Amino acid sequence: MRDILEAVAAGDLSPAEAEAQLAGYATTDAGRFDAARESRRGLPEAILAEGKTPDETATLAVAAVETSGRALVTRASPAHAEAVADALPNCDIDRNARAKTIVACESDYEAPDIDATVGVVTGGTSDAEAAGEAAVVLEQMGVSVELLEDVGVAHLGRVLDHLDLLREVDVLIVAAGREGALPTVVAGLVDTPVIGLPISTGYGHGGNGEAALLGMIQSCTVLSVVNTDAGYIAGSQAGLIARAVAAARDE
Amino acid sequence: MRDILEAVAAGDLSPAEAEAQLAGYATTDAGRFDAARESRRGLPEAILAEGKTPDETATLAVAAVETSGRALVTRASPAHAEAVADALPNCDIDRNARAKTIVACESDYEAPDIDATVGVVTGGTSDAEAAGEAAVVLEQMGVSVELLEDVGVAHLGRVLDHLDLLREVDVLIVAAGREGALPTVVAGLVDTPVIGLPISTGYGHGGNGEAALLGMIQSCTVLSVVNTDAGYIAGSQAGLIARAVAAARDE
Amino acid sequence: MRDILEAVAAGDLSPAEAEAQLAGYATTDAGRFDAARESRRGLPEAILAEGKTPDETATLAVAAVETSGRALVTRASPAHAEAVADALPNCDIDRNARAKTIVACESDYEAPDIDATVGVVTGGTSDAEAAGEAAVVLEQMGVSVELLEDVGVAHLGRVLDHLDLLREVDVLIVAAGREGALPTVVAGLVDTPVIGLPISTGYGHGGNGEAALLGMIQSCTVLSVVNTDAGYIAGSQAGLIARAVAAARDE
Amino acid sequence: MRDILEAVAAGDLSPAEAEAQLAGYATTDAGRFDAARESRRGLPEAILAEGKTPDETATLAVAAVETSGRALVTRASPAHAEAVADALPNCDIDRNARAKTIVACESDYEAPDIDATVGVVTGGTSDAEAAGEAAVVLEQMGVSVELLEDVGVAHLGRVLDHLDLLREVDVLIVAAGREGALPTVVAGLVDTPVIGLPISTGYGHGGNGEAALLGMIQSCTVLSVVNTDAGYIAGSQAGLIARAVAAARDE
Amino acid sequence: MRDILEAVAAGDLSPAEAEAQLAGYATTDAGRFDAARESRRGLPEAILAEGKTPDETATLAVAAVETSGRALVTRASPAHAEAVADALPNCDIDRNARAKTIVACESDYEAPDIDATVGVVTGGTSDAEAAGEAAVVLEQMGVSVELLEDVGVAHLGRVLDHLDLLREVDVLIVAAGREGALPTVVAGLVDTPVIGLPISTGYGHGGNGEAALLGMIQSCTVLSVVNTDAGYIAGSQAGLIARAVAAARDE
Amino acid sequence: MRDILEAVAAGDLSPAEAEAQLAGYATTDAGRFDAARESRRGLPEAILAEGKTPDETATLAVAAVETSGRALVTRASPAHAEAVADALPNCDIDRNARAKTIVACESDYEAPDIDATVGVVTGGTSDAEAAGEAAVVLEQMGVSVELLEDVGVAHLGRVLDHLDLLREVDVLIVAAGREGALPTVVAGLVDTPVIGLPISTGYGHGGNGEAALLGMIQSCTVLSVVNTDAGYIAGSQAGLIARAVAAARDE
Amino acid sequence: MRDILEAVAAGDLSPAEAEAQLAGYATTDAGRFDAARESRRGLPEAILAEGKTPDETATLAVAAVETSGRALVTRASPAHAEAVADALPNCDIDRNARAKTIVACESDYEAPDIDATVGVVTGGTSDAEAAGEAAVVLEQMGVSVELLEDVGVAHLGRVLDHLDLLREVDVLIVAAGREGALPTVVAGLVDTPVIGLPISTGYGHGGNGEAALLGMIQSCTVLSVVNTDAGYIAGSQAGLIARAVAAARDE
Amino acid sequence: MRDILEAVAAGDLSPAEAEAQLAGYATTDAGRFDAARESRRGLPEAILAEGKTPDETATLAVAAVETSGRALVTRASPAHAEAVADALPNCDIDRNARAKTIVACESDYEAPDIDATVGVVTGGTSDAEAAGEAAVVLEQMGVSVELLEDVGVAHLGRVLDHLDLLREVDVLIVAAGREGALPTVVAGLVDTPVIGLPISTGYGHGGNGEAALLGMIQSCTVLSVVNTDAGYIAGSQAGLIARAVAAARDE
């Protein structure tokens, strides 16, 4: 601990980074940024912009960059994006408007790189946000992503056209709303592990993703699932598996 | 009414049949047999054996035969079948053990015959009972039935192998349990009207047919549905459509 | 494929229509327009305006017209309607304010015409939107529509006054909110196939169409149902049946 | 209190009746019999046999007879009936097998008599038990009962045939299972107060009386309801209303 | 019918009133006003302002006054009230801000008067709206109303202080939110018929009136219930009972 | 650890007790007995007989006695009780048939004794099992128990008669089924902490304790609750509070 | 009563305080302030600002101060706070922005002081509001509060670091959202009574606090729970226990 | 196909195996054995004994052995085990009574062997069946299994004692009932991918595994889940991941 404090005194270490190393989080006016999760599980800690003001989001993003060299913001509106960019003028800012994510990196941030690939499949346009969120998380973990969109179960031909891709990747995330049948169909065709990501489209009885979640959890093929719209969880879980595969490749 | 009563007096008409003509139902010790539904909608009135003793079932079957020349019993155990056969020694008895149905006809019963075909498709073994019940109802309405079994969505090839059949029939009933994806997949491949029949297989969250029903009602393809395990309703609804088609053929 | 590409090169075929023929959909800035569903099932592909901006809706409508000569937009606000009309100055625009639909046709669009009639029945004022959506879909399929409104079960006389109409059409869609008893009552009086369309009126326990859906699915008469407010699905399913009837008429 | 105790000492009052007068209940080996409810609300306290052994039921029936001159047992099997009859050899025993009720009266029991009539209407055979329970409670309160059975909404004519009766009684209990539409239909035709009694028939989604209860609570006509299968509550509530009407007649 | 038409021709009858007598409803730009319910069941037909614009509400109110001499509007905002008053300058307008009701009467409207009293009891401030709606409906039926407010079950003394009142009225409506225990407590103390009116207060699990409704439907005392916040239904049902009592008084 | 092993070797310590001290549990053929919970939280570890055979229950009871000098068995049938008594011939056996508990103690077992009192209140006969289970747990913790039975909310007088008792104890457990209003009523009258214990009586909608649990959790008075029928949890929680009070008394 | 009225006449007692002493509540334009709860149970009566205008809130706060010398407002926005401060210029105002509470005291208000401590533990930032509300209620009861924040179950080390504190307090409130595992983990480590406070964070299936509440109610350790976000109830219940402990300390 | 038929003719291939190679399944009197799943996804096809008679189970097991050299039976009672053993006298039979599985192998069956390890963790005794089912599936896929039992969250120390093991395996399955907190706690401590397996223990509200499933799906750590009690799915999914890891090891 003495080393850390002396580095702070010498200006070699920001107080935020020092606090993160000592306490596992950095304190800000907008709450705490939990820096420890990344070191604990190797997962990029995300700042959920939904429900936060642009200012609060930017404050946490600054703390994240100071602590770990990078900030990952999810469910961000354009206003959030603008505030983050203004607060981090020296960072490279990468905003994905469909996925509603922002990644801000210090110019010397060294991104990880993992020798594994995850396929992210969607059934339709409304699956793009959560699927994109999963893809961004994977990229931040250094995993290669193959994105395959709009192969809904109502157009079976599109699924069958991409069987090779579906079989070649190390893990598959399959996102689907409404009745959520796509992961079941895909998992019946491949021996790749499939993670079902239910999406809160649909309306009336069983809407809001309920039918999709139940359909995946009752699937007559082998799947595991995450909660509705949980793109961050799906991406992180696929990333943990991909990392295990990559580690085995490196043995 | 005078004619009816005179026919009873003359022994030309059984009291049960006379009551059915006058009141719309025949009274028995085991309850009433609703003879009027058949004349109202042309649907064979079924005696639901489940929850009735073999004796009560047989009593109602006798009333049905006296009234309309035929009895259709659903969800019948072997004990029900035996009691019905004993009570109707002069009838032809046709028991379908998988569908749990019994059809008892007087020897001179003239079955209807309709120039239309309904396809009945199942995803797996546990769909056989409800699907079979639907098929028997259809046959009693005089509709031709094409049965296509075990083409579950986990084995997509089996579905694709039978596309011609699926497209040639006038109406399709597609039964499926667990996540209930099969009707969605089938309806995406054909322009035949599809009736989804959810089956109460599955376990845990969304079990008992809940996931299957929700999945069909949220389907991203065009379907209408009936309640879980409602083979009689699915068959009758398909039969009403088939009859409309056949009537048009006959115009 | 060579033919298609040469037609594009010669200007005889728009790129959108060519893409639709080759890939099954037309790509736009606002997402994909799925042109293939119409050729697959003969159902008019609808653009759901709800949740889209007027601009996005107009962009997709243009793609639809380029691809198939017609655009059908559902759940459209006045702002959506204005944007669509502005974007398609050479089309005939038919807006149905109660049904919240827009139909835009090229002047030389040849509408289909089917020799079959569907009755669309409503219990009250609040059923008009979904029922109207169903009617518009049917009209776009070329099916004749008989609309019978405000014959709620609380005023039984109104139902009984129209029995002849209810019995003469080929298929019936019966929309009802609150307790959803109307399809049950109607189906007890006719031998026409009835599709129940539950409406999300009602409040408190079982509100939002839950009681109506459950009541139709548990009906003591023979019905099939679609999801709450699913006017497009009800209309399409009735249209598929009507087309089967009309085809039989033409044999 | 002294009077009561002296009457016990003199043998003019049984200990059970004395305890009931003093404490509001009679203690038995099988639990307490709550004698006070009758004096509090004028409602016959019922012994629910379901879940009790025949012996326990008989013990409580003896306490009831000692306390109030009468015992009313609901949901009683034949074994319960036999045990009650054995335990009360000097009572008149009236068992209603369909309603599963037993009424045991001392020979000198003076039944109440109220100048009011309640109509009890059922949609089908499976409504008979709960409706019969309601009817027996009403009879024990001295209310006249008009029973109208099997007028289900699928056979509308039967309802319309009995409009006069439905309008003449002071209160109506309308029992229905499945989709529970009958009370809605009846209440649309009369200005008599209607109490909806949902019955736990039906199966699949919304089964067990859920659809019937929701349908009645969402009714587009004016109704109040009781819980599923709650024949005792429906009868008691109708009885309280009938007594209020009769009291007004007597003013 | 000839008489009606001649009266219209002579200007003695408004077209709206003539239509109401002939068809059972008056047609307006804002939909139909169902005039027949009043003659069918003697219940004042209410115009539900919620979900309608002030203009639509005023249009229907005008039709109601033309048809029946009076308009009853429920769930009305100040803007609705203003529009109704502007549209009916010659009517007496009575707005109840807490109950959110408006009653507009022609100056020569003869209100009914019934010799019966209904007690309306509330547990707390948030029950006032629905309870007030019930009270206004009752007053429009000519029933006397005794309002007893804020006697929640958490302050049992307040209930006990008013036992005489609770016992003297002909019918009781008891409104309660949260756990909904008040009707149970009241019904245990009186022999007056009690209608439970659950209110959608409460939060978290079982909020929105769910716990209150379930608690009333499971009550260990005798009650019947209406849906959550259904003040109009509770008032109408109590009014039907009150009218039956008053009719008996008049015999 | 050496001490423990030497004591085993010398026969001064049973292997079970040694294992319990070292590992926190004793291993048996019927599973593990978790001895550590008692030392961790001072709560008597209970053996849940429901779902276990009499033999398994007895084996675990023997392990419990060897480990801690006492066994507490809950939800025990007579057969379980017999097996436990046979397996522990040298123990004092105390079976509470209503609470379905068995307590077996070595003759030299020193029961704890705590200077605090918990009141256990029930609304009716069916609350006796869970309430009794709570009482037995409390007694095993050395807490005094005041049992107050059958003071249901339908007979308010019985509650009011015992106000002094309700106010004098240190903590109250109030058990109630059906609508579960009793804890709300009691908590409105006292300043003693109240723990609501919902009971799975009731039927139809909200049955199985659902209405009781929701009613307690939504109570307009201050309560905390445990799960339905969770007598062991209610007793243990009240015991932890009572021990805190007693410890304060001893300071 | 005469004394009270004479004190009012003499100006020694405000009318509000007099009404509170006589009737148990003070009447204002914004509704009633229930002064009696404090004297009944010693719990500070809170004014729930949510759903009230700033003016209504201020009016009730004035009545509270007049009646009891203090006002406690919960779920208050800045606008509510400003209105309260303006209306009570002579009071000390203490606003807790995170807990959304306001406490206004007359300068001579004598706060209670209790010799007991409650620990309030949170899993994350979103638990702060309800936990803070609980803490403020406790402070107003005179109980000492130890606040321990952000010790979520995903960072187990933080929990283990504070075991001594968790074991030393008299009662624990443990707030947690999402899966709500924290109270289970804490209760497994201490013998202090634990009250679980589920928080309505989370999304998708089981969101809005449903999973947290179910998880606490099913906990494999001993807990009692309050409803989702019910900080006031959790604080009050812990305060009642703390007061019982303090009273024992004072014996 | 000719080769296959000639091999059958020559007796080198059983008809069942030939059918399996040609059609993907073997037909038996007890239904079809789906041999294709193994070749499709490399997952051992299991025969679910629950709901089948011992004879049916044995018939399918014989078909499985004839087709693939091995039969895997799940949820098997002792009677099922006996029937299978009798029907396959030449096979090695391995019955796991706790997991309720049977594995029957021909003596020359060559089991697969995969260089990867899966940890299977349980919280308590009642998790053993589903966890054991998962373990058996994994073993049949050739994956090494580390079983870690009874490390429930109520005894946190047991979890912490095994951190090394939890971190060393390639994938973790964590089974837990009641509140299901164990996977959340474990996933917070490791960077191994965790699959949550909810178990249907628990009672009352949220029982039957509902709380456990919701808790896992809402977990504040990264998890994917399978349905309640779905040991076969959890094992198969973990096996697919393990095989991907092992394949990477072999590259």
Side-chain angles (χ1 to χ4, degrees), chain F residues 101-121:
Chain F
T101 55
I102 312 163
V103 177
C105 298
E106 288 182 340
S107 51
D108 58 352
Y109 174 71
E110 276 183 57
D113 189 11
I114 285 181
D115 181 13
T117 308
V118 174
V120 177
V121 183

Side-chain angles (χ1 to χ4, degrees), chain B residues 11 13 20 30 36 41 53 58 63 104 112 122 126 136 150 183 212 219 229 234 247 249:
Chain B
L13 197 67
R41 301 199 74 191
T53 64
T122 70
S126 38
V136 169
D150 285 327
S219 174
D229 297 331
R249 273 198 186 108

Side-chain angles (χ1 to χ4, degrees), chain F residues 163 166-167 172 185-194, chain G residues 40-41 240:
Chain F
L163 270 184
L166 297 172
R167 288 175 173 153
L172 279 166
V185 168
V186 169
L189 296 165
V190 303
D191 63 355
T192 321
V194 173
Chain G
R40 270 200 321 277
R41 300 200 74 191
L240 290 174

Side-chain angles (χ1 to χ4, degrees), chain D residues 41 187 190 224-225 249 251, chain E residues 41 187 190 224-225 237 249 251:
Chain D
R41 301 200 73 191
V190 302
S224 65
V225 305
R249 270 195 190 111
E251 281 174 13
Chain E
R41 301 199 73 192
V190 301
S224 65
V225 304
Q237 175 79 343
R249 272 198 188 109
E251 279 172 16

